[in-house]
Amino acid sequence: MPLLYDSTTKTFTIHTDHTTYQMRVDEYGYLVHLYYGARTEGQMGYVVTYADRSGMCASPHDASDRTYSLDVLPQEYPFQGGGDMRNTLLVVRDANGTFGCDLRYDRHEIRDGKYALKGLPAVYSESADDDARSLSITLADKRLGLEVELLYGVLPKIDIITRAAIIRNAGPAKVVVKRAQTACLDMVHGSFDVITFNGRHAMERRPSRCAVTPGSFSVGSRRGMSSNQYNPLMIMCDRDATETSGRAWSMSFVYSGSFLAEVEKDQYEQVRMQMGLSDEQFSYPLEPGEELIAPEVIMTFSNAGIEKISHNLHRCIRKHVCRGPWRDRPRPILINSWEAHYFDFDGDSLARLAGKAAELGIDMLVMDDGWFANRYDDMRSLGDWTVNEQKLGGPLSQLVDYVNAMGVKFGIWVEPEMVSEDSNLYRAHPDWALAIPGKDPVLGRDQLVLDMSRADVRDNIFNQLCAVFDSANIEYVKWDYNRSIVDVYSRCASDQGKVLYDYILGLYDLLERLIQRYPDMLFEGCSAGGGRFDAGMLYYTPQIWTSDNTDAHDRMTIQYGTSFGYPCSAMGAHVSASPNEINGRDVPLTTRGVVAMAGGGFGYELDLMELPERACELIKGQIKMYREIDPLVREGLYYRLSSPKKDRVCSWEFAAEDGSEAIVCAVVLEVEGYGVANYVVPRGLTRGALYREATSGNVYPADALMDVGVPLPVGSAPYMTRVYHFVRLDDAD
Ligand code: DGJ
């Protein structure tokens, strides 16, 4: 049974196949965290220490006992006002402007299935076989009439526990929520590292690992988007944990806006890890009867290293976050017009591109930015979603039909949350843009952000998009978002502190309406490359453009970092021209292909018409190979065999869950004078079995492969690339 309540000790225990999570309501009604680690039975109340810590720690009034202090106790939902002076999850202000609350256990309920969250993305379970359960524990502040419903979801078979919180004003007067984080994990001792995923536009999600030291370490976003700079994924692990050994815990935020993830080592060397909404520019008033949902955090634990954290998250995101028919289908191989033509295209050049794509075996042409209104550059026209028929040489349907007739599907780019000052939409509705009255709005890429918290704005954009999508056989939409929110002011908000959160709810509402209306449409998320690569967006768009940096060398680092929290099936990855437009690096086409094939959203993004015959032949071969390996890329277990930053060779692997086959890829990054042989060492094979490598026909014992590995040719040149396809031999072979 994944969820248990022991009424004698008031202990809640959550079991997954390999982990156990435990908490207890103590004698004062506080919810104390006891354990999150390897699966175990029993009562872990013994881990908590009570001692008189010099009388300096605050004790609740009814605990006339100096050994009891919330400033020391490991907790499930620490709040400001109870004496816990560490980072808390909740800060509220009452109608008199006073800060402080006191949350104690009120009631709980255990339910079958996985809870859902109104208006927000959340992990889901669609089969009773998942054995999913939900636990709701309501904490209450009787003075304020404030309730916090803590939600725990459990997917036992994939070792996933989720958390969310509903903050409800059940009292008679308004309260203002100043901070509403979702989850924390209190560790009573330990020497840990924290791993975060940081970067910038065109260099996202590079892992950064550092020791947890006294004080507070945080990453987050105040940009109104999860951001290119810091990803809402945090891993904490033993200092000596590796890919395959040691304990690790992770939190992944199912939310696409501003966030905060923190780790604090306190005065007693205890550690608190937490995640949730950013409290910057946040102030959420709740009138009596109103509630606020702190979005979901996905948690998992591994005592077999960081790789297992990734595997758990991949399984969860692939089957319990991503939705729709494209969740499980091979995705179309794309040719995207952006790096092929930027704004400089017309109907004829797109038709030619599609014709060449057909010849090469590419499935779909994506018409990127530049197809609408006066969008000849990035200074104008966002918000006016009308086809530029002059540029395309006729109605969109004419182009799409022509492309379809060549056997190529058609996709389109949009950036629906934005408006250009030079647009009819802005001229008609200047108040629809987020802008502070009397202050010149800050521009980003010469554009403003539409106020998605407003239903009328969303309706307008919805109707405009539907008119385009209905006008032709469009089968894919790339949903872009190219700037941060700076000016937070909505004409319609009762409190400007609500706007950033309500914006994201509005975005989700718009996306939900569109995916309901176009259930077969493949949506790909994008935000100046990978600026909104988060589990929230993946609930609506099963793949996301990983980065605007398409250089294969940099992409190895970006995809390596992304893989810690997100499955390959979610990564859009294209082969682009060399030397690369962003960094001028020259990488062979074979290497570019193999690197891009590590994304479930594989494609091309270069002018196919310019390619020499030899390159066309190589591309045909890549497409054939991709179709063969696609099931393993999307559904297999992904192994980071070596690091693109620390090792001479970057290697990675996709293996069938049952170990029956594996694709192992290696790219030589660094070469030295004569001699040293580099080995690629796969994992996840069946011990004791033999494997045949499909291209060479060589047969290898699995144990030797996983111990010594296979040598790459000595004296390999930079970017020498190898792909090994190991197939397990059955007894009959
Ligand atoms: C940013 C995206 O990341 C690119 O792929 C491209 O779609 C441009 N926007 C278009 O403006």
Side-chain angles (χ1 to χ4, degrees):
M1 187 59 180
L3 260 173
L4 301 163
Y5 177 63
D6 176 346
S7 55
T8 322
T9 57
K10 295 190 181 157
T11 302
F12 298 93
T13 304
I14 304 174
H15 287 304
T16 70
D17 283 5
H18 305 100
T19 73
T20 295
Y21 188 106
Q22 198 174 73
M23 57 200 145
R24 177 174 94 84
V25 180
D26 74 8
E27 50 276 40
Y28 302 108
Y30 294 113
L31 191 57
V32 175
H33 175 79
L34 300 179
Y35 179 80
Y36 187 24
R39 168 126 193 177
T40 183
E41 301 301 325
Q43 231 287 346
M44 271 71 78
Y46 76 91
V47 302
V48 183
T49 58
Y50 297 89
D52 184 344
R53 288 166 162 103
S54 82
M56 282 299 289
C57 290
S59 307
H61 195 263
D62 50 342
S64 50
D65 173 359
R66 292 190 356 183
T67 70
Y68 187 95
S69 173
L70 294 185
D71 207 13
V72 185
L73 284 177
Q75 289 164 76
E76 280 298 308
Y77 203 75
F79 51 87
Q80 184 271 327
D84 188 339
M85 302 301 183
R86 295 168 285 183
N87 295 324
T88 54
L89 297 187
L90 185 76
V91 178
V92 292
R93 207 169 169 181
D94 67 19
N96 302 319
T98 310
F99 290 90
C101 60
D102 185 12
L103 290 173
R104 307 208 190 191
Y105 171 84
D106 189 62
R107 58 188 184 275
H108 78 268
E109 202 185 327
I110 292 174
R111 303 175 203 135
D112 286 344
K114 165 68 178 59
Y115 65 81
L117 297 174
K118 190 163 170 276
L120 280 163
V123 166
Y124 67 90
S125 156
E126 56 186 2
S127 156
D129 292 345
D130 296 333
D131 206 14
R133 298 280 196 290
S134 299
L135 166 66
S136 145
I137 304 176
T138 301
L139 310 177
D141 179 314
K142 299 286 182 207
R143 179 181 69 92
L144 295 173
L146 184 76
E147 289 186 353
V148 178
E149 182 181 357
L150 304 182
L151 291 167
Y152 298 80
V154 52
L155 291 175
K157 297 188 174 160
I158 55 168
D159 294 322
I160 291 289
I161 295 176
T162 66
R163 291 193 56 181
I166 304 176
I167 300 151
R168 198 171 284 130
N169 184 356
K174 171 177 160 177
V175 293
V176 181
V177 182
K178 304 292 290 179
R179 165 179 266 230
Q181 291 231 300
T182 301
C184 75
L185 184 58
D186 277 1
M187 319 289 284
V188 285
H189 73 101
S191 192
F192 301 112
D193 277 354
V194 57
I195 308 173
T196 52
F197 300 87
N198 315 318
R200 57 180 183 272
H201 176 218
M203 209 58 228
E204 293 89 349
R205 290 175 298 287
R206 286 173 305 173
S208 147
R209 179 169 175 165
C210 60
V212 176
T213 53
S216 206
F217 168 86
S218 70
V219 295
S221 162
R222 53 176 71 93
R223 295 166 188 269
M225 59 198 281
S226 50
S227 89
N228 308 68
Q229 286 72 17
Y230 302 102
N231 193 262
L233 167 71
M234 187 179 253
I235 299 174
M236 193 165 76
C237 59
D238 288 328
R239 296 234 49 205
D240 56 359
T242 67
E243 280 284 350
T244 53
S245 68
R247 297 175 305 160
W249 298 257
S250 70
M251 290 187 175
S252 175
F253 205 21
V254 192
Y255 186 70
S256 311
S258 300
F259 75 96
L260 181 65
E262 289 178 293
V263 174
E264 180 180 6
K265 187 163 195 166
D266 73 13
Q267 54 185 331
Y268 302 113
E269 300 180 8
Q270 306 182 109
V271 174
R272 172 170 291 167
M273 174 190 191
Q274 66 190 70
M275 185 174 270
L277 295 171
S278 165
D279 46 13
E280 284 200 32
Q281 301 193 73
F282 181 83
S283 168
Y284 212 94
L286 294 179
E287 297 296 339
E290 288 183 342
E291 61 186 35
L292 165 73
I293 304 177
E296 184 161 271
V297 166
I298 302 172
M299 297 170 62
T300 190
F301 165 78
S302 155
N303 62 356
I306 296 155
E307 172 180 284
K308 178 90 168 62
I309 291 280
S310 300
H311 288 172
N312 295 348
L313 287 172
H314 293 178
R315 289 190 182 105
C316 178
I317 288 177
R318 272 198 314 245
K319 298 292 180 197
H320 302 280
V321 172
C322 295
R323 296 180 295 166
W326 288 103
R327 183 188 78 174
D328 305 318
R329 276 190 206 155
R331 315 278 166 72
I333 297 176
L334 310 179
I335 169 69
N336 181 295
S337 67
W338 183 242
E339 287 189 41
H341 296 313
Y342 296 100
F343 291 104
D344 189 16
F345 63 82
D346 58 21
D348 288 342
S349 55
L350 290 181
R352 281 197 299 276
L353 197 59
K356 188 72 184 174
E359 206 181 298
L360 297 173
I362 292 173
D363 300 315
M364 178 183 279
L365 169 73
V366 175
M367 178 172 69
D368 209 283
D369 198 355
W371 57 266
F372 53 97
N374 286 319
R375 186 77 169 172
Y376 289 97
D377 57 31
D378 63 6
M379 312 274 289
R380 65 206 83 249
S381 295
L382 292 170
D384 295 344
W385 300 107
T386 48
V387 176
N388 182 342
E389 297 192 354
Q390 204 185 346
K391 185 169 180 176
L392 295 190
L396 182 57
S397 56
Q398 185 180 302
L399 174 64
V400 176
D401 290 348
Y402 185 81
V403 168
N404 284 173
M406 292 186 278
V408 177
K409 297 176 192 300
F410 195 90
I412 200 167
W413 174 97
V414 289
E415 193 176 0
E417 300 156 71
M418 296 291 162
V419 66
S420 308
E421 284 179 307
D422 182 3
S423 68
N424 293 335
L425 189 77
Y426 185 74
R427 282 184 280 274
H429 301 285
D431 62 310
W432 283 12
L434 292 171
I436 298 172
K439 173 182 182 292
D440 284 338
V442 173
L443 297 175
R445 208 191 189 199
D446 284 300
Q447 62 201 48
L448 299 173
V449 186
L450 281 173
D451 183 356
M452 283 291 142
S453 70
R454 286 176 61 164
D456 54 349
V457 176
R458 298 198 297 274
D459 285 347
N460 177 291
I461 297 298
F462 177 80
N463 291 332
Q464 286 200 61
L465 294 179
C466 291
V468 177
F469 299 166
D470 290 343
S471 75
N473 186 28
I474 293 169
E475 298 181 69
Y476 159 107
V477 171
K478 178 177 174 188
W479 185 287
D480 206 348
Y481 176 93
N482 281 307
R483 61 158 293 182
S484 329
I485 300 176
V486 177
D487 295 299
V488 182
Y489 181 88
S490 163
R491 285 280 168 95
C492 297
S494 58
D495 187 310
Q496 299 308 322
K498 297 175 69 174
V499 174
L500 286 176
Y501 177 83
D502 287 353
Y503 178 98
I504 297 293
L505 289 192
L507 163 66
Y508 291 152
D509 171 67
L510 180 57
L511 282 164
E512 187 65 35
R513 282 169 76 185
L514 285 163
I515 64 171
Q516 294 303 336
R517 175 157 171 157
Y518 302 99
D520 281 325
M521 188 84 88
L522 170 59
F523 284 88
E524 174 158 352
C526 176
S527 172
R532 256 190 338 203
F533 206 116
D534 55 69
M537 282 306 287
L538 286 168
Y539 188 70
Y540 304 93
T541 67
Q543 65 187 53
I544 296 178
W545 182 228
T546 312
S547 178
D548 272 351
N549 188 339
T550 52
D551 163 48
H553 181 106
D554 285 351
R555 264 300 181 116
M556 278 183 264
T557 302
I558 295 166
Q559 292 169 191
Y560 170 86
T562 305
S563 78
F564 280 79
Y566 306 95
C568 297
S569 59
M571 295 188 216
H574 297 171
V575 175
S576 65
S578 186
N580 185 267
E581 303 252 357
I582 282 190
N583 59 18
R585 190 179 276 122
D586 212 348
V587 177
L589 181 53
T590 302
T591 311
R592 282 179 274 149
V594 169
V595 172
M597 283 185 219
F602 176 64
Y604 292 82
E605 183 137 352
L606 73 176
D607 191 352
L608 301 174
M609 314 308 291
E610 306 251 295
L611 292 175
E613 198 41 45
R614 162 97 187 110
C616 293
E617 288 312 308
L618 271 175
I619 288 179
K620 283 185 197 164
Q622 288 175 347
I623 288 169
K624 181 169 171 291
M625 175 173 159
Y626 187 73
R627 293 199 200 285
E628 280 163 19
I629 70 170
D630 167 82
L632 279 184
V633 175
R634 279 183 306 102
E635 306 272 342
L637 288 172
Y638 182 78
Y639 293 90
R640 292 175 291 271
L641 301 180
S642 62
S643 154
K645 282 292 174 217
K646 296 195 190 115
D647 299 307
R648 285 198 295 258
V649 173
C650 178
S651 52
W652 61 95
E653 175 186 350
F654 315 95
E657 293 250 3
D658 66 0
S660 56
E661 58 175 332
I663 301 287
V664 176
C665 305
V667 176
V668 173
L669 295 178
E670 216 184 287
V671 289
E672 289 175 344
Y674 293 136
V676 178
N678 292 308
Y679 285 77
V680 182
V681 187
R683 294 200 285 275
L685 306 179
T686 309
R687 292 213 170 265
L690 293 174
Y691 282 79
R692 173 172 287 125
E693 199 286 307
T695 315
S696 63
N698 293 343
V699 174
Y700 301 90
D703 299 84
L705 279 177
M706 291 195 287
D707 184 358
V708 185
V710 274
L712 293 171
V714 177
S716 304
Y719 299 124
M720 199 268 334
T721 300
R722 281 283 183 277
V723 177
Y724 303 95
H725 186 178
F726 296 110
V727 182
R728 191 176 60 208
L729 298 180
D730 292 332
D731 291 343
D733 289 311

